[in-house]
Amino acid sequence: MITLTAVGMVNALGNNLDEIAANLQAGTAPGMGPDRDGWLQQGTCWVGRVTGELPEIAPEMVRYNSRNNRLLLAALGQIRPQVDEAIAQYGHSRVAVVLGTSTSGLDEGDRMVSGSLAGTPPASYRYGQQELGDPSRFLSEYLQLFGPALTISTACSSSARAIMTGKRLIESGMVDAAIVGGADTLSRMPINGFNSLESLSNVRCAPFSARRNGITIGEAGALILLTREPGKVCLLGVGESSDAWHMSAPHPEGVGAMRAIEMALREARLDARQIGYINMHGTATRLNDEIEAKVVNQLFGTSVPSSSTKHLTGHTLGAAGACEAAICYLLLSRNLPLPAQDFTDAHQDPELAPCGLLSAAQPFSTPTMLSNSFAFGGNNACLIFGVSHD
């Protein structure tokens, strides 16, 4: 059994698990608010910021000095004792690093171009900071590890896929532990890119509501130590698929999403009735919420409680899968109430297929949780977590 041995996270909900758990229960996110930093070139939007001070990267590792990697360090600091213990137990070549990102150090690259055009290029910039492989390369070198180290970039399913890969590396016998997760940083390119697709909300995103009009982009870092050691929360099953349908839109019948969920259920040896909560991908775009609601309705009916937490974190892009896996870990390990879908600003969309959306927080009765991540290119990922009874 693969267990979530330790979890660290920073996002708009807070700067550690205690803050995130408290704000999740209260339904408030200190880092969510209007863009005041000029990320969007024209118009208005909201963003999800990490509000805490991030660790510095030592001068001898200046080539890795990006905000993305500092987000990873903030998450790592919360689980460093468990990581060090795993390295001491298994050895430096038996611990993998598998991360997901869609921006890496893109913001640093953007600032370099802007600074160069203005005649003041930043002295700290290194091209490698914006390479997609940089996060895993950095974390592996920082921890002096010699095992597999790779970054997965499949848009918004990236870190969910990183968790799957870490699990498989352990099961294959290649490693004994895997540090998995991801980070993404606020950056002009994705914010303006989503705006050009008319998929960026000008107010806080409102998943599954009648007035939803796009995503709110957030930044985050989340790391999970996977091992076979006894632990309370386990990774029971995973599923993945590709729609092969459209570059940015899901299949209209959600066939790829259904395949990923069904694969995860088969691997976990569970049927739909045994799932206690669904963490919906729930981006608040018109099409994503419509298709996901349809898929969940067809597979689970209306009996399984569900909600999206992106109105509290923003859509953290490549880090979203790991962030939401970490939220499932918090719910299961601390017996927290299931988070409600926030419809205070607009009513639930009555045209969506009913899919068990929670109108109020409630305790969970079945300790198994399913988390969806759906990405551009029709890349679908599904993770199932549960409580160990060993």
Side-chain angles (χ1 to χ4, degrees), residues 84-326:
D84 287 345
E85 182 179 342
I87 296 170
Q89 179 177 353
Y90 302 123
H92 290 255
S93 63
R94 298 290 298 174
V95 178
V97 174
V98 190
L99 304 177
T101 190
S102 64
T103 65
S104 191
L106 182 62
D107 184 52
E108 281 71 23
D110 183 15
R111 293 177 189 276
M112 185 278 295
V113 172
S114 299
S116 297
L117 292 174
T120 56
S124 62
Y125 174 75
R126 303 290 188 278
Y127 176 77
Q129 292 167 346
Q130 69 187 60
E131 291 182 346
L132 290 172
D134 195 61
S136 53
R137 189 165 53 225
F138 161 67
L139 205 61
S140 183
E141 184 173 328
Y142 183 85
L143 293 168
Q144 300 179 25
L145 297 175
F146 309 111
L150 62 146
T151 305
I152 293 173
S153 189
T154 52
C156 305
S157 64
S158 299
S159 56
R161 298 293 294 269
I163 293 170
M164 294 182 187
T165 302
K167 170 181 179 290
R168 289 165 179 161
L169 285 171
I170 295 172
E171 290 174 338
S172 73
M174 291 182 67
V175 299
D176 297 300
I179 303 164
V180 298
D184 258 331
T185 314
L186 291 173
S187 174
R188 290 198 307 167
M189 182 176 173
I191 290 174
N192 287 278
F194 275 97
N195 191 51
S196 72
L197 294 172
E198 299 181 345
S199 295
L200 188 73
S201 178
N202 62 337
V203 295
R204 187 183 68 155
C205 68
F208 304 105
S209 79
R211 73 155 179 84
R212 71 188 188 282
N213 65 346
I215 73 172
T216 294
I217 292 182
E219 63 178 0
L223 290 176
I224 301 169
L225 177 64
L226 298 180
T227 71
R228 289 188 183 273
E229 298 296 325
K232 184 170 184 179
V233 180
C234 303
L235 179 55
L236 301 178
V238 303
E240 59 191 330
S241 69
S242 176
D243 287 359
W245 173 260
H246 190 275
M247 281 300 296
S248 60
H251 189 283
E253 299 303 321
V255 293
M258 292 182 71
R259 282 200 303 271
I261 295 170
E262 289 169 339
M263 183 187 299
L265 287 168
R266 283 196 303 272
E267 184 173 287
R269 298 181 180 179
L270 298 172
D271 62 39
R273 295 168 297 179
Q274 294 172 287
I275 297 298
Y277 171 67
I278 300 172
N279 172 76
M280 305 282 271
H281 186 57
T283 62
T285 63
R286 301 300 302 181
L287 197 54
N288 174 87
D289 289 9
E290 176 189 338
I291 301 304
E292 187 173 19
K294 179 189 296 186
V295 166
V296 170
N297 173 269
Q298 290 179 2
L299 290 176
F300 300 93
T302 62
S303 61
V304 179
S306 70
S307 63
S308 165
T309 53
K310 287 186 171 66
H311 63 288
L312 296 170
T313 63
H315 190 340
T316 58
L317 305 180
C323 274
E324 291 166 30

